[in-house]
Amino acid sequence: MRHFLTLTDFTSEEILRLVELSAKFKSKRKMGNRVDHMLKDKSIALIFQKPSTRTRASLSVAIKELGGFPVTFNWNELQLGRGESIADTARVLSRYFDAIIARVYSHNDLLEMARYSSVPVLNALSDMFHPMQAISDLFTIKEKLGRIKGIKLAFIGDGTSNVLNSLLIAGSKVGMHIVIACPKEYSPRSNVLSLARSFAQNSGAIIEITEDPVKAVRTADIIYTDVFVSMGFEAEREKRLKVFYPKYSVTKALLEKCEKKDYIFMHCLPAHRGEEVEDEVMDDIKHSVVFDQAENRLHSSKAILTYVLGDRVWD
Ligand code: CP
Ligand code: NVA
C-alpha cells in the first residue's frame, strides 16, 4: 500500500512517470476517449476541510471517468466535526472505501489519517504540501516548454506556500532550477529547504533565494506565483499584505524585466487578482498558461490515482 502525502518518498523516475501518464490521459481524452475502467469497482472518499474548486472537481471527474465512484464529504458533515477522532474515522472509512483523499488544515491530521487507514491516503492539500498540484505543474511545464530538467522557475511571493513546498520537493528531484523571491520573514521553511537541497545533490537541481523579484525573473523560463494569504492564514491577512504588496506582485512591469521572450506565467489558482498578480498578466494569452494548468489537474489526477490505486499495469 502506498500513500501520496508529500512526494518525498517518490523517486525522480516515479515523478516523471506520473508526468508521462498525465500526458497519456490528456491525449486519450482529446481523442474522445473519456471512459476507462482502471478504477472499476473502486469507491473513493474525498474529504474537504477547506474550500476547493479545481481539486474537488478534477478528482471527481477523474474518478468517474476511470470507472470509480467518488463520494465527497465536508469535514464538518462527518462526525469528525463533532469530535470523533481522525484515527477512528480512518479505521471506519477504510472498511468502505478503497482510498481516502483529504484536504486538511494541518498536515499532521493527514499523517494521523494515514497512520490509522488501511487504504491509501492521498493529500489534496495541507498547510504544508500540495503534491497533486506539483505533479500537474511539472506536466504543464513539460507540455509547454518540452523539458523539465534545467528549466528555471522563479517563484515570486510567499516563500512558505504549500504549493511552493511541493514544487521544491518535486522540482529538486527532477533537476529544476528554482529561484524564490520572497520577503525575509516569509522565507522557505528550513526543513523543506534542506530536503530540496539534499535531493538537488543527486539531480543537479539548483535552489536559490533572493529578496529581489527583478533579479529572480531576469533569466527565468517560468514565473510562478501563489496567493499572499493561503487558506487558514486569514488572521495574518493585513500583516501579509503589508509585507508582500506591491513589491512581490507579478505585474506586467515586473515581467518586462524577463529576458526570455517565451517565458510562461503560472499560478496554481485561485488567483486574487490585484494582489499577487494583475489582470494583464493573468489574461496575457501569449505567456499565461493558467487555464491549461488548471485543466491539467484533471489529467494528472488520473495519473496519480491509477498509479497509486490502479490494478492494471501501464505499458
Ligand atoms: N489549485 C487548487 O488546488 O485549486 P482549488 O483550491 O480550487 O482546489
Ligand atoms: N496556497 C494556497 C493554494 C490554494 C490551491 C492555499 O493553501 O490557499
Side-chain angles (χ1 to χ4, degrees):
M1 182 175 82
R2 194 89 186 264
H3 298 300
F4 183 85
L5 300 174
T6 63
L7 283 178
T8 49
D9 52 339
F10 279 62
T11 64
S12 57
E13 289 76 19
E14 287 182 303
I15 290 171
L16 294 174
R17 181 75 177 138
L18 289 171
V19 169
E20 189 191 353
L21 290 177
S22 307
K24 283 194 180 195
F25 277 117
K26 184 165 188 171
S27 64
K28 256 173 112 171
R29 198 172 193 266
K30 296 278 170 215
M31 311 240 303
N33 185 355
R34 286 189 174 214
V35 186
D36 220 311
H37 303 286
M38 296 171 89
L39 295 184
K40 188 173 178 302
D41 299 331
K42 293 206 190 290
S43 299
I44 299 178
L46 297 147
I47 305 176
F48 287 88
Q49 204 180 22
K50 313 193 230 192
S52 169
T53 298
R54 282 143 288 271
T55 306
R56 181 172 168 166
S58 66
L59 284 166
S60 306
V61 173
I63 294 165
K64 194 255 160 202
E65 291 188 3
L66 291 167
F69 177 54
V71 184
T72 304
F73 305 98
N74 287 323
W75 186 277
N76 286 327
E77 282 166 13
L78 294 168
Q79 295 288 6
L80 275 169
R82 294 183 61 251
E84 185 169 16
S85 73
I86 291 173
D88 287 348
T89 304
R91 289 180 178 115
V92 171
L93 293 181
S94 300
R95 303 287 178 110
Y96 310 136
F97 291 99
D98 296 288
I100 301 170
I101 303 180
R103 169 168 286 197
V104 297
Y105 283 103
S106 164
H107 190 73
N108 285 334
D109 286 351
L110 202 64
L111 297 179
E112 175 91 348
M113 205 172 272
R115 193 168 307 131
Y116 292 97
S117 170
S118 52
V119 297
V121 172
L122 289 83
N123 182 358
L125 182 147
S126 66
D127 57 344
M128 281 298 292
F129 296 107
H130 198 2
M132 293 185 173
Q133 184 73 49
I135 293 297
S136 186
D137 289 345
L138 292 190
F139 168 42
T140 303
I141 291 167
K142 180 82 199 292
E143 184 180 47
K144 299 292 175 189
L145 302 177
R147 69 195 167 96
I148 299 173
K149 197 173 167 74
I151 288 290
K152 181 170 180 181
L153 181 150
F155 184 96
I156 314 296
D158 180 6
T160 68
S161 147
N162 44 9
V163 168
L164 171 63
N165 287 344
S166 288
L167 278 172
L168 278 169
I169 299 295
S172 63
K173 288 213 174 207
V174 297
M176 287 184 74
H177 180 172
I178 300 179
V179 49
I180 302 144
C182 61
K184 254 210 174 70
E185 46 282 57
Y186 290 97
S187 292
R189 297 166 203 270
S190 55
N191 54 343
V192 175
L193 212 49
S194 47
L195 275 171
R197 292 209 158 119
S198 71
F199 299 143
Q201 286 182 347
N202 285 329
S203 67
I206 302 170
I207 314 290
E208 292 175 305
I209 303 173
T210 171
E211 284 179 69
D212 182 358
V214 174
K215 191 173 150 208
V217 303
R218 212 178 288 284
T219 57
D221 301 294
I222 303 166
I223 289 92
Y224 197 120
T225 192
D226 184 9
V227 289
F228 292 150
V229 187
S230 282
M231 292 180 280
F233 295 88
E234 290 78 6
E236 295 177 14
R237 183 173 168 79
E238 223 173 296
K239 180 178 147 213
R240 283 175 167 257
L241 285 186
K242 257 194 214 132
V243 180
F244 289 116
Y245 188 82
K247 182 172 175 187
Y248 294 96
S249 276
V250 179
T251 59
K252 194 84 192 143
L254 175 65
L255 295 183
E256 273 160 13
K257 308 287 184 202
C258 179
E259 289 162 7
K260 301 260 171 85
K261 267 206 212 96
D262 298 323
Y263 73 84
I264 57 172
F265 169 71
M266 297 179 73
H267 192 312
C268 54
L269 304 184
H272 285 198
R273 290 169 177 250
E275 289 184 13
E276 78 278 3
V277 59
E278 61 182 21
D279 284 335
E280 236 185 317
V281 172
M282 282 284 287
D283 300 330
D284 174 359
I285 51 167
K286 182 162 186 294
H287 299 288
S288 171
V289 301
V290 297
F291 298 112
D292 287 343
Q293 187 183 353
E295 176 192 325
N296 285 344
R297 291 294 306 277
L298 170 61
H299 312 299
S300 59
S301 290
K302 290 182 176 176
I304 294 163
L305 287 163
T306 54
Y307 192 80
V308 177
L309 303 174
D311 292 324
R312 198 173 102 194
V313 179
W314 278 84
D315 56 328

